Amino acid sequence: MYKVLARDGLAKRGRLQTVHGVIETPVFMNVGTAAAIKGAVSTEDLQGIKTQVELSNTYHLHVRPGDDVVKRLGGLHKFMVWDKPILTDSGGFQVFSLAGLRRIKEEGVYFNSHIDGRKIFMGPEESMQIQSNLASTIAMAFDECPSSVADRPYMEKSVERTTRWLGRCKEEMRRLNGLPDTINPRQLLFGINQGGIYEDIRIRHAKEIAAMDLDGYAIGGLAVGESHEDMYRILDAVVPYLPADKPTYLMGVGTPANILEAVDRGVDFFDCVYPSRNGRHGHVYTNHGKLNLFNARYELDSRPIEEGCGCPACRTYSRAYIRHLLKAKEMLGMRLCVLHNLYFYNTMMEEIREAVEKGCYREYKADKLAHMTGREV
Amino acid sequence: MYKVLARDGLAKRGRLQTVHGVIETPVFMNVGTAAAIKGAVSTEDLQGIKTQVELSNTYHLHVRPGDDVVKRLGGLHKFMVWDKPILTDSGGFQVFSLAGLRRIKEEGVYFNSHIDGRKIFMGPEESMQIQSNLASTIAMAFDECPSSVADRPYMEKSVERTTRWLGRCKEEMRRLNGLPDTINPRQLLFGINQGGIYEDIRIRHAKEIAAMDLDGYAIGGLAVGESHEDMYRILDAVVPYLPADKPTYLMGVGTPANILEAVDRGVDFFDCVYPSRNGRHGHVYTNHGKLNLFNARYELDSRPIEEGCGCPACRTYSRAYIRHLLKAKEMLGMRLCVLHNLYFYNTMMEEIREAVEKGCYREYKADKLAHMTGREV
């Protein structure tokens, strides 16, 4: 199902076969929180900007429109009209970052909806049931994502519970995939490694979950406030203990530089809101650095965001026009910037795959980083 | 340049040849106030929803990004990347409806920008200069748009001044079109009939401006709060006094029913923010009435907004999905509704043209109105 096609150092060039088609890795999954990419981008648009995997958020869809509604409409793929792979997160991260007052118990988490305050309970079984209703291609295990500054005793206790929860997730997923009315009975399950920035806890946890034979392994609880150096140190420590013959997913990461560094450490799945969030604020990526299109220097700039870029914004519109749209608060400005940024990320992943195949990943990475840290142009 | 190809009663089926291509009338011009259709709709999108003419607002573009900026970038067509006709209004309506404190003098209007409060003067010459900088296909004369409840003495004085201003517009446009650095030296000028709901003032003014041999004639100062009956009464009275061998433009109108009635009275150019504004609020047009997609009845409705509709929303997405997007405040929901509504209007104009050609306009109108006043489906 998952095959490593080539390696270059620790960097993996993989291929994951799913019921919704093939995922060529390394891959950047495009985040559509509430079953839509923010910035007025549709799944039809995604077909034109090299998106391989759409990622939606279980927590958001559970509170609105409700996973029962999505199930009655045939699952997320039918709902969004997207026939390629979809990954859903477990809801855990949002429960810990968005929800109001919450109590964590062995059975799961009690919390209040951030929309209407109503009480919700979510545990491993509930998360699996919701994700089964959504019928995504890949479901994520329900874990606790502790604060990056949690102390060692708390972290140890939390990670042990996350391991127990993972066992329950696996069992519940097996049960759900066997039910007659399950939309996607071949739904995959990825486990999540936790442990904050404690290398030994991370490694011990990695060994435990590696033994559980899941469809893929994610590293959670990074990119939540720790330094880049800490993140890379943890990747250096823990990735060797995750099965290399399974997908390796670094959750919520990150900048182009973060991705380039993580690929070099063996990661091949990524997701992040940066390209869409930055795009909505007029910050756009180029191979010569990030531009802030609100800057007055672009007022009369008739060039595209990036010369030679094939995205829907660059193919047609100028920096000057997009800057005007952003200044005038026209949604179209945000849409064009988001389309450009996602295209930039998706294209970079294409380049990464090619470089790993060719065995020149280190040179590619050095070159890309050297250019991107350039000044605004 | 303008030819009436067919008539059916007073209804005209016309064709206006412009430097930016042909306009088949009756036509609904799609409003892109600040050089963009609100709702994240691009000029590339307009190519796919049967848009013939884009309409931008002189006042908005003068204050941001500045008509000098647009001129330096090659004019509105290059700025927006739209090669078909563009009509710019004169700025007069916005000066009277949006701007802060203002003083109307014989030379023009002194007012404060609604964006930063700075003092601006705009008279007939300034409006023509700005529109020449924007380089639209059709420029509108600078007029006063008095309140629909203005009293007769005020209205008479105002209309006389509007006539004098029209003479100055024509003279200034002639001068500008002769300058060597004018982007569009074949810019057309439409005059505007005013007079509120006083039939005699309207008719006297229509006769005066008809004698001035302009490229087209608009009826302004309607759809500003008066009843539909008053609007139709004024059209009945004044259209016969406007040159039938020139385009006849009813500004700011309106609902599908308003357009159907006005075509029947000899009007063949329209513009209105309704389809885009209603779309952004989840109100969508169908041949069986208008739907409010926020309504709970669409929660599980897997049908498109309208069965058989060829718009980018209906070709792919369901009412249930679009409702979810609107409820979740995802911009994509607004975008899809705006695209649908503009497509609906543009398609209705196509049907209108065909019905006039076939000589069955009255039957078409009756049938269309009977269906559209149906209940939500």
Side-chain angles (χ1 to χ4, degrees):
Chain A
M1 199 177 61
Y2 175 76
K3 257 177 76 173
V4 177
L5 306 179
R7 301 206 68 138
D8 184 7
L10 291 178
K12 297 198 280 186
R13 164 75 182 90
R15 179 172 292 157
L16 178 63
Q17 189 78 49
T18 80
V19 69
H20 299 112
V22 159
I23 303 170
E24 303 288 353
T25 83
V27 63
F28 179 79
M29 303 186 280
N30 293 189
V31 180
T33 303
I37 309 271
K38 292 198 187 301
V41 173
S42 71
T43 46
E44 202 176 338
D45 294 315
L46 296 185
Q47 303 282 6
I49 57 167
K50 309 183 183 181
T51 305
Q52 292 194 75
V53 185
E54 194 273 345
L55 186 155
S56 281
N57 289 101
T58 287
Y59 168 80
H60 285 95
L61 294 172
H62 175 59
V63 296
R64 185 172 52 200
D67 49 287
D68 52 325
V69 168
V70 175
K71 180 170 190 179
R72 289 175 67 185
L73 289 161
L76 262 185
H77 284 88
K78 272 204 178 165
F79 188 54
M80 301 179 69
V81 194
W82 175 248
D83 58 3
K84 296 182 183 172
I86 296 177
L87 182 143
T88 43
D89 67 359
S90 68
F93 184 76
Q94 276 73 29
V95 167
F96 291 100
S97 62
L98 276 186
L101 279 179
R102 57 175 180 267
R103 281 180 308 135
I104 309 172
K105 303 277 215 170
E106 183 61 25
E107 63 268 29
V109 187
Y110 298 86
F111 61 97
N112 298 105
S113 156
H114 75 296
I115 295 192
D116 54 12
R118 78 189 157 91
K119 287 190 175 152
I120 306 182
F121 170 75
M122 197 184 286
E125 290 78 12
E126 287 72 17
S127 174
M128 292 303 106
Q129 288 155 15
I130 296 169
Q131 293 183 76
S132 180
N133 283 342
L134 298 174
S136 55
T137 315
I138 302 169
M140 296 303 300
F142 187 74
D143 60 340
E144 183 186 346
C145 183
S147 160
S148 61
V149 295
D151 59 25
R152 173 176 280 275
Y154 185 90
M155 192 63 81
E156 285 182 329
K157 229 185 75 188
S158 163
V159 166
E160 283 162 18
R161 183 168 48 212
T162 283
T163 308
R164 291 192 296 276
W165 283 0
L166 180 55
R168 287 164 55 191
C169 285
K170 192 182 169 188
E171 179 51 29
E172 180 66 5
M173 175 63 72
R174 198 195 52 72
R175 186 184 74 82
L176 292 164
N177 280 352
L179 295 181
D181 72 334
T182 292
I183 296 174
N184 176 16
R186 294 174 64 191
Q187 193 167 31
L188 305 178
L189 177 64
F190 282 17
I192 304 176
N193 172 254
Q194 290 286 358
I197 53 175
Y198 302 102
E199 296 175 28
D200 58 327
I201 303 179
R202 283 275 179 189
I203 292 171
R204 194 184 330 137
H205 189 234
K207 289 180 183 169
E208 285 170 15
I209 64 176
M212 294 172 76
D213 191 28
L214 300 164
D215 299 309
Y217 289 89
I219 300 141
L222 289 180
V224 291
E226 81 288 356
S227 69
H228 286 177
E229 289 65 36
D230 277 339
M231 185 203 293
Y232 300 149
R233 177 173 57 79
I234 293 298
L235 292 180
D236 284 332
V238 79
V239 174
Y241 293 93
L242 294 173
D245 59 346
K246 297 283 175 73
T248 310
Y249 167 23
L250 178 54
M251 302 181 81
V253 170
T255 65
N258 291 158
I259 292 174
L260 289 164
E261 293 297 350
V263 164
D264 212 5
R265 289 160 170 87
V267 176
D268 67 345
F269 278 67
F270 299 90
D271 80 282
C272 188
V273 296
Y274 283 171
S276 49
R277 184 177 294 163
N278 278 326
R280 296 202 306 284
H281 292 96
H283 294 223
V284 289
Y285 296 90
T286 80
N287 283 301
H288 304 279
K290 209 157 69 178
L291 316 185
N292 177 354
L293 287 183
F294 277 94
N295 198 308
R297 80 173 69 179
Y298 305 119
E299 187 180 39
L300 293 165
D301 194 335
S302 57
R303 292 175 295 174
I305 294 170
E306 180 150 47
E307 299 281 0
C309 172
C311 87
C314 291
R315 278 202 316 262
T316 306
Y317 301 102
S318 67
R319 294 174 179 182
Y321 181 57
I322 298 171
R323 174 179 188 271
H324 161 67
L325 297 174
L326 292 165
K327 298 271 292 181
K329 298 186 178 62
E330 287 290 340
M331 285 184 213
L332 178 59
M334 298 195 222
R335 172 173 151 86
L336 294 174
C337 290
V338 171
L339 287 169
H340 171 82
N341 281 353
L342 292 173
Y343 186 90
F344 178 89
Y345 266 69
N346 294 334
T347 302
M348 184 180 78
M349 302 315 291
E350 216 172 55
E351 295 167 0
I352 288 174
R353 292 194 294 273
E354 200 185 312
V356 177
E357 275 172 20
K358 287 189 180 159
C360 61
Y361 184 68
R362 280 288 166 92
E363 295 87 318
Y364 166 76
K365 181 182 96 169
D367 191 55
K368 191 87 175 171
L369 286 173
H371 277 95
M372 278 196 304
T373 50
R375 299 177 47 203
E376 283 206 6
V377 287
Chain B
M1 197 177 60
Y2 176 76
K3 258 176 79 173
V4 177
L5 306 178
R7 301 206 68 138
D8 184 8
L10 291 179
K12 297 199 278 186
R13 164 75 181 90
R15 178 173 293 157
L16 178 63
Q17 189 78 48
T18 80
V19 68
H20 299 111
V22 158
I23 303 169
E24 304 287 352
T25 83
V27 63
F28 179 78
M29 302 185 280
N30 293 190
V31 180
T33 303
I37 309 272
K38 291 197 187 301
V41 173
S42 71
T43 46
E44 203 176 337
D45 294 315
L46 295 185
Q47 303 281 4
I49 57 167
K50 308 184 184 180
T51 304
Q52 293 194 74
V53 185
E54 193 274 344
L55 185 155
S56 282
N57 289 102
T58 287
Y59 168 80
H60 285 92
L61 294 172
H62 175 58
V63 297
R64 185 173 54 201
D67 49 289
D68 51 327
V69 167
V70 175
K71 180 170 191 181
R72 289 175 67 184
L73 289 162
L76 262 184
H77 285 86
K78 273 204 176 165
F79 188 56
M80 301 179 68
V81 194
W82 175 249
D83 58 3
K84 296 181 182 171
I86 296 176
L87 183 142
T88 43
D89 67 359
S90 68
F93 184 76
Q94 276 73 28
V95 168
F96 291 100
S97 63
L98 276 186
L101 280 179
R102 59 176 178 266
R103 282 181 305 135
I104 309 172
K105 303 279 215 167
E106 183 60 25
E107 62 268 29
V109 188
Y110 297 85
F111 61 98
N112 298 106
S113 156
H114 75 296
I115 295 192
D116 56 12
R118 78 187 156 91
K119 286 188 175 152
I120 304 181
F121 171 74
M122 197 185 284
E125 290 78 13
E126 288 72 18
S127 174
M128 292 302 105
Q129 289 155 14
I130 297 169
Q131 293 184 76
S132 181
N133 284 342
L134 298 174
S136 56
T137 316
I138 301 169
M140 296 302 299
F142 187 75
D143 61 339
E144 183 188 346
C145 182
S147 158
S148 62
V149 294
D151 59 24
R152 171 177 281 274
Y154 185 90
M155 192 62 83
E156 286 182 329
K157 227 185 75 188
S158 162
V159 166
E160 283 161 19
R161 184 167 46 211
T162 283
T163 309
R164 290 192 296 277
W165 283 359
L166 180 55
R168 286 164 54 190
C169 285
K170 191 183 170 189
E171 178 52 27
E172 180 66 4
M173 176 63 73
R174 197 193 54 72
R175 186 184 74 81
L176 292 164
N177 280 352
L179 294 181
D181 72 332
T182 292
I183 297 174
N184 177 15
R186 294 173 64 188
Q187 193 168 32
L188 305 177
L189 177 64
F190 282 17
I192 304 175
N193 171 255
Q194 290 286 359
I197 52 175
Y198 302 102
E199 295 175 31
D200 58 328
I201 303 180
R202 284 274 179 190
I203 291 171
R204 196 185 328 138
H205 189 234
K207 289 180 182 170
E208 283 169 16
I209 63 177
M212 292 171 77
D213 191 28
L214 300 164
D215 299 309
Y217 289 89
I219 300 141
L222 290 180
V224 292
E226 82 286 357
S227 70
H228 286 176
E229 289 64 36
D230 276 338
M231 187 204 293
Y232 300 147
R233 176 173 57 78
I234 293 299
L235 291 179
D236 284 333
V238 78
V239 173
Y241 292 94
L242 293 173
D245 59 347
K246 296 284 175 72
T248 309
Y249 168 23
L250 179 55
M251 301 181 81
V253 170
T255 66
N258 291 157
I259 291 174
L260 290 164
E261 292 298 350
V263 164
D264 214 3
R265 288 161 171 87
V267 176
D268 66 346
F269 278 67
F270 299 90
D271 81 282
C272 190
V273 296
Y274 283 170
S276 48
R277 183 176 294 163
N278 278 326
R280 296 202 306 285
H281 291 95
H283 295 223
V284 289
Y285 296 89
T286 80
N287 284 300
H288 304 277
K290 210 157 66 176
L291 316 185
N292 177 355
L293 287 182
F294 278 93
N295 199 308
R297 78 173 69 179
Y298 305 120
E299 187 180 37
L300 293 165
D301 194 335
S302 58
R303 292 175 295 173
I305 295 169
E306 179 149 47
E307 299 280 1
C309 172
C311 87
C314 292
R315 278 202 317 259
T316 307
Y317 301 103
S318 66
R319 294 175 179 181
Y321 181 57
I322 299 172
R323 174 179 188 272
H324 161 66
L325 296 174
L326 292 165
K327 298 272 291 180
K329 298 189 179 61
E330 288 289 342
M331 284 184 214
L332 178 59
M334 297 195 223
R335 173 175 150 86
L336 293 174
C337 290
V338 171
L339 286 169
H340 172 82
N341 281 353
L342 291 174
Y343 186 91
F344 179 88
Y345 265 69
N346 294 335
T347 302
M348 183 180 80
M349 301 316 291
E350 217 171 55
E351 295 166 1
I352 289 174
R353 291 193 294 272
E354 199 185 312
V356 177
E357 276 171 20
K358 287 189 181 159
C360 60
Y361 184 68
R362 280 288 167 91
E363 296 87 320
Y364 166 77
K365 180 183 97 170
D367 192 55
K368 191 88 176 171
L369 286 172
H371 277 96
M372 278 196 304
T373 50
R375 299 178 46 203
E376 284 204 10
V377 286

